[in-house]
Amino acid sequence: MPRTSAKTPLIRCGRSSLHVMTFNIRYDRPATQPGDPDYWPDRAPALQDVVRREMPTVLGVQEALHHQLVVIEAALPARYRMIGSGRDGGSRGEYSAIFYDSRRLQLVEWDQFWLSDTPKLIGSSTWGNGVPRIVTWGRFRDTTTEQELLLVNTHFDHESENACLRSVHAVLDLVRFFHPRLPSIVMGDFNSDAGTSPAYRRFMESGVLGDAWTLAGEHRTPDYGTYPRYSPPVDGGRRIDWILTTPDVLVRSAAVNTSTLDGRHASDHSAVQALVEIPHPDSP
């Protein structure tokens, strides 16, 4: 296992590779008080520290409120851009936003839909989930390789299994929509255990998306759970935050980021990272 210090990036991006990170940053809960592990003003510097150190090409965040996005933007160079809107419409409610390095990735188009029977209806929720759930996606051109790719970010429901399974099919339909099929990377908090949950199995059985963690040529960290809830990391713990890739995406390495800043966790989740490459379709 490679050794890393607290200030060493877990993953470094090469010329032809993309560094992808998904991170549920935990929404700013008004009831918290100074000193609570959940208190946002205390967590914000730790979040900025992770983002500045790792500097992913692509960062998908979940549970982010508008004022929390501003904190992330401040930690990134000015060349970074963002797509996404709040799940309650406009800047209201939680975002599943995608930040990206605009020097490397050129945005072609993007959209957002709600995980419901009425996907274009803002705030809709019809599959048994008590709160709206969304998918944010963008079609990009990689300015280094001149190839197009699809980036997807989502946050599945935490209570309704029916909503999770319906959401799986909605994501798969999105990936299948593009013709010719685009190399695709799906990020998110799926609120479902990797390896055992029906949602995970349905993804794996689809033949459309695979789990970047299991596909990775190298693991930069142990198989930590991604939902430690401000506790020390647990090797073999619940992995509910994933990066999924289509078969035409090579996963070079993967990691679960459990770093802290002066003992302070950035979130009750841990970030998941992957270094990926998209070979040219004409490559041998």
Side-chain angles (χ1 to χ4, degrees), residues 4-281:
T4 57
S5 73
K7 297 302 178 183
T8 301
L10 284 172
I11 290 179
R12 296 183 186 274
C13 188
R15 183 180 182 279
S16 62
S17 56
L18 296 171
H19 178 187
V20 180
M21 174 187 283
T22 182
F23 202 176
N24 180 326
I25 68 165
R26 177 62 169 167
Y27 77 103
D28 179 6
R29 193 163 60 90
T32 57
Q33 300 293 324
D36 293 345
D38 213 19
Y39 186 56
W40 167 246
D42 291 343
R43 292 192 290 113
L47 175 60
Q48 290 186 316
D49 181 65
V50 172
V51 171
R52 287 194 185 107
R53 182 172 64 253
E54 299 298 331
M55 202 61 65
T57 321
V58 176
L59 169 62
V61 295
Q62 303 87 38
E63 284 197 28
L65 301 177
H66 186 265
H67 67 280
Q68 294 177 290
L69 297 173
V70 175
V71 169
I72 297 172
E73 288 174 340
L76 291 167
R79 67 181 183 270
Y80 277 75
R81 303 288 184 269
M82 187 205 83
I83 57 174
S85 58
R87 70 186 186 188
D88 298 325
S91 62
R92 298 183 299 277
E94 297 175 12
Y95 287 63
S96 292
I98 300 174
F99 292 88
Y100 63 96
D101 184 341
S102 66
R103 289 185 186 174
R104 178 65 187 274
L105 297 174
Q106 182 181 66
L107 181 64
V108 177
E109 60 176 328
W110 79 274
D111 207 344
Q112 180 169 302
F113 62 87
W114 279 255
L115 290 165
S116 75
D117 290 322
T118 51
K120 291 298 182 182
L121 180 62
I122 293 173
S124 59
S125 160
T126 63
W127 294 342
N129 40 311
V131 296
R133 299 292 181 177
I134 55 176
V135 172
T136 305
W137 64 267
R139 181 175 185 166
F140 295 85
R141 183 181 66 86
D142 187 333
T143 60
T144 298
T145 65
E146 296 299 325
Q147 296 185 80
E148 287 197 349
L149 68 152
L150 176 69
L151 298 174
V152 181
N153 185 30
T154 189
H155 187 184
F156 282 11
D157 195 60
H158 64 301
E159 294 178 328
S160 170
E161 186 172 295
N162 178 64
C164 284
L165 292 174
R166 296 287 296 274
S167 298
V168 169
H169 289 287
V171 170
L172 291 174
D173 286 345
L174 172 64
V175 174
R176 292 185 181 115
F177 171 79
F178 294 91
H179 298 282
R181 181 86 57 86
L182 292 177
S184 302
I185 301 168
V186 177
M187 308 160 279
D189 173 2
F190 295 89
N191 273 311
S192 305
D193 291 350
T196 60
S197 65
Y200 182 87
R201 291 198 302 269
R202 196 151 296 183
F203 270 126
M204 298 305 106
E205 292 166 358
S206 71
V208 176
L209 291 166
D211 182 355
W213 180 264
T214 62
L215 294 170
E218 176 190 32
H219 290 151
R220 301 288 297 171
T221 66
D223 185 13
Y224 290 133
T226 65
Y227 186 43
R229 303 179 72 177
Y230 304 112
S231 296
V234 176
D235 193 353
R238 296 181 63 208
R239 188 162 58 86
I240 64 173
D241 304 84
W242 319 327
I243 296 173
L244 306 175
T245 58
T246 48
D248 45 8
V249 177
L250 297 179
V251 185
R252 298 302 188 189
S253 60
V256 178
N257 196 315
T258 61
S259 64
T260 59
L261 179 66
D262 298 327
R264 171 70 65 174
H265 294 269
S267 172
D268 56 348
H269 288 245
S270 297
V272 177
Q273 299 167 241
L275 185 69
V276 304
E277 290 184 15
I278 303 174
H280 193 277

